[in-house]
């Protein structure tokens, strides 16, 4: 694996490895502008008071009461936040991005610090949980979501956003900023002696979206609060590289065992989504001149409500209008615009086929 940094005289740090230690100490030893993305799940500073019991059977709720999540004051938490975010900004490449997740306890304080440090916020994404923990005391609304902030290193950053990949992931609809996903449960939840091995393990589906949205194959993702290793597991599955920093040796072992079980896929094409605007433009007329669609062919919409005929010059004609596949599609619908490639269909062996299928075949031949 390529060496990303040298720490001291003897210690080498490679991507794809988990480094045990305090995040600020480790980050200080990594080279400037060396990572493409940071995904951070920092301590939330939950400010929990007392033990929480379920009202039905008085069993203890397995919450977060670890030392690493406790800070004496808000000022102490703000100082910690500024320090690690400043270190992350130094490590990000000029066009890199950062994701940070939190709850109402901390995310607003984190957001202020992000802006103070010069990060440029792109989205706040709401992770809406399908199976949230109830509010057992019945004194507040059920806390059913967490918030992710996605930001570029600076306002001028030419950050990566894999729009088509997100759209494909969402059944060809533009991905929204509210994500409905379940908590980490079932076989995915790591256990030790029958109990949660880590109290705040995030679902891989959540990281899948973040990593796929903002990186490309081979990019390096840094997680300064590695925990159970979800970021590393997803990065490995998606053909990305990672650096994980974790202070707890037990969590390091847990994460390493988890990641070692993953067998990477060698075919990189399975991880990439071509950017449509980078693909060769295929005029509709090419389908006509190459005989894929003959002049006189009748095209219809998918419900056969509208029809038009193909002309030899690659335009369409109805009884009272002629123009491009897009212009005619918009005209018959009385719409301001239309994607003719998706609107028009032709009949093939008794079934309607969207004409975009022929465009994709022709595009494939040109590669």
């Amino acid at each position: 694996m390529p060496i990303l940094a040298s720490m001291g005289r003897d210690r080498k740090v490679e991507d794809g490895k988990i480094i045990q230690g305090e995040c600020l100490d480790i980050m200080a030893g990594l080279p400037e502008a060396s990572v493409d993305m940071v995904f951070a799940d920092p301590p939330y500073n939950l400010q929990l008071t007392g033990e929480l019991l379920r009202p039905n059977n008085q069993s203890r709720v397995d919450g977060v009461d670890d030392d690493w999540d406790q800070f004496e004051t808000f000022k102490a938490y703000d100082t910690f936040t500024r320090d690690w975010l400043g270190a992350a900004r130094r490590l990000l490449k000029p066009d890199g991005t950062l994701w940070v997740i939190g709850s109402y306890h901390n995310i607003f304080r984190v957001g202020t610090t992000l802006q103070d440090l010069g990060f440029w916020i792109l989205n706040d994404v709401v992770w809406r949980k399908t199976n949230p923990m109830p509010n057992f005391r019945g004194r507040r609304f059920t806390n059913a979501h967490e918030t992710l902030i996605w930001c570029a290193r600076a306002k001028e950053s030419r950050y990566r956003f894999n729009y088509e990949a997100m759209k494909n992931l969402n059944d060809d609809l533009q991905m929204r900023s509210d994500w409905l996903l379940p908590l980490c449960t079932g076989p995915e939840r790591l256990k030790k002696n029958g109990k949660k091995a880590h109290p705040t393990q995030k679902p891989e589906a959540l990281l899948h979206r973040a990593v796929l949205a903002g990186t490309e194959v081979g990019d390096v993702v840094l997680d300064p609060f590695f925990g159970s290793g979800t970021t590393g597991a997803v990065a490995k599955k998606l053909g990305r590289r990672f650096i994980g920093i974790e202070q707890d040796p037990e969590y390091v072992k847990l994460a390493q065992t988890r990641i070692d079980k993953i067998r990477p896929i060698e075919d990189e094409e399975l991880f990439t989504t071509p950017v449509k605007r980078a693909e060769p433009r295929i005029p509709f007329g090419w389908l006509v001149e190459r005989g894929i669609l003959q002049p006189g062919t009748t095209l219809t919409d998918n419900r056969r409500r509208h029809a038009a005929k193909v002309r030899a010059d690659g335009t369409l004609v109805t009884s009272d209008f002629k123009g491009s596949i897009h212009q005619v599609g918009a005209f018959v619908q009385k719409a301001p615009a239309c994607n003719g490639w998706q609107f028009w269909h032709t009949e093939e062996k008794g079934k309607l086929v969207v004409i975009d299928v022929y465009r994709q075949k022709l595009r494939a031949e040109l590669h």
Side-chain angles (χ1 to χ4, degrees):
M1 292 184 178
I3 295 173
L4 292 184
S6 174
M7 298 185 63
R9 294 182 178 179
D10 301 316
R11 187 172 179 185
K12 301 291 185 180
V13 178
E14 299 176 347
D15 68 90
K17 296 294 183 182
I18 308 170
I19 311 165
Q20 183 185 335
E22 294 289 340
C23 69
L24 293 176
D25 294 339
I26 302 301
M27 293 166 82
L30 296 176
E32 184 175 352
S34 58
V35 302
D36 300 281
M37 175 185 284
V38 174
F39 187 95
D41 184 7
Y44 285 11
N45 191 25
L46 293 179
Q47 309 134 50
L48 299 179
T49 57
E51 190 174 60
L52 182 59
L53 303 177
R54 293 179 175 86
N56 58 342
N57 59 12
Q58 295 299 297
S59 61
R60 181 178 181 274
V61 175
D62 188 12
V64 182
D65 56 5
D66 303 75
D67 290 342
W68 49 259
D69 192 63
Q70 297 175 14
F71 295 80
E72 290 186 2
T73 63
F74 284 130
K75 183 178 180 181
Y77 186 79
D78 292 344
T79 298
F80 167 74
T81 299
R82 178 174 290 273
D83 288 346
W84 78 257
L85 281 175
R89 193 166 190 268
R90 185 186 73 84
L91 296 180
L92 275 173
K93 295 177 181 178
D95 295 331
T97 58
L98 177 143
W99 290 84
V100 59
I101 185 171
S103 70
Y104 68 89
H105 300 90
N106 72 321
I107 198 64
F108 304 107
R109 309 187 78 87
V110 171
T112 296
T113 304
L114 282 167
Q115 292 182 317
D116 288 346
L117 290 175
F119 286 94
W120 188 252
I121 294 178
L122 303 171
N123 279 111
D124 63 325
V125 174
V126 175
W127 168 29
R128 187 170 148 231
K129 303 171 184 177
T130 60
N131 51 346
M133 182 184 295
N135 184 269
F136 292 108
R137 290 176 177 153
R139 297 178 61 86
R140 302 183 185 184
F141 298 109
T142 296
N143 186 25
H145 76 277
E146 292 184 36
T147 300
L148 299 95
I149 298 177
W150 181 43
C151 52
R153 187 186 183 279
K155 183 178 180 180
E156 301 77 21
S157 298
R158 297 175 63 84
Y159 61 91
R160 168 175 287 274
F161 176 49
N162 295 324
Y163 170 79
E164 281 83 10
M166 292 296 97
K167 189 175 179 182
N168 291 343
L169 204 62
N170 198 39
D171 201 19
D172 207 33
L173 295 174
Q174 188 176 81
M175 182 74 77
R176 292 163 43 124
S177 63
D178 54 334
W179 297 354
L180 184 63
L181 297 168
L183 290 166
C184 182
T185 58
E188 186 183 338
R189 168 65 77 171
L190 302 178
K191 299 287 185 66
K192 184 177 181 180
N193 300 324
K195 296 183 178 180
K196 295 177 183 178
H198 191 286
T200 63
Q201 181 182 341
K202 296 299 185 289
E204 290 192 9
L206 187 72
L207 271 295
H208 186 103
R209 290 192 185 182
V211 173
L212 189 64
T215 62
E216 62 181 332
V217 174
D219 278 359
V220 178
V221 182
L222 168 67
D223 186 336
F225 309 99
F226 205 59
S228 62
T230 303
T231 300
V234 171
K236 188 174 181 179
K237 289 179 179 180
L238 292 177
R240 276 68 169 173
R241 300 177 289 160
F242 71 88
I243 302 172
I245 303 173
E246 174 54 49
Q247 64 177 352
D248 189 317
E250 292 302 314
Y251 290 159
V252 171
K253 293 178 184 176
L254 181 75
Q256 193 66 65
T257 300
R258 174 187 186 181
I259 292 169
D260 286 345
K261 293 178 181 179
I262 299 171
R263 295 291 171 260
I265 298 173
E266 300 298 331
D267 188 355
E268 291 188 358
E269 290 189 4
L270 297 176
F271 301 125
T272 59
T273 302
V275 179
K276 288 185 177 180
R277 60 177 175 269
E279 295 178 341
R281 181 176 175 272
I282 306 294
F284 177 72
W286 288 14
L287 272 63
V288 180
E289 67 184 12
R290 298 186 183 210
I292 298 172
L293 290 176
Q294 299 290 338
T297 300
T298 298
L299 303 183
T300 68
D301 66 294
N302 62 348
R303 296 184 183 180
R304 300 182 188 271
R305 295 168 299 179
H306 308 290
K309 288 190 175 181
V310 176
R311 291 164 50 90
D313 61 1
T315 58
L316 300 185
V317 61
T318 66
S319 59
D320 51 357
F321 188 81
K322 67 178 179 180
S324 71
I325 57 172
H326 314 296
Q327 292 168 337
V328 176
F331 175 80
V332 298
Q333 297 178 89
K334 296 181 174 56
C338 172
N339 181 347
W341 290 108
Q342 296 292 335
F343 179 74
W344 294 111
H345 295 64
T346 184
E347 188 168 313
E348 187 176 292
K349 297 180 180 179
K351 295 183 178 181
L352 289 178
V353 177
V354 64
I355 61 173
D356 195 45
V357 169
Y358 304 114
R359 178 175 65 161
Q360 296 302 331
K361 289 181 179 178
L362 189 54
R363 181 172 283 152
E365 293 176 4
L366 296 177
H367 279 293

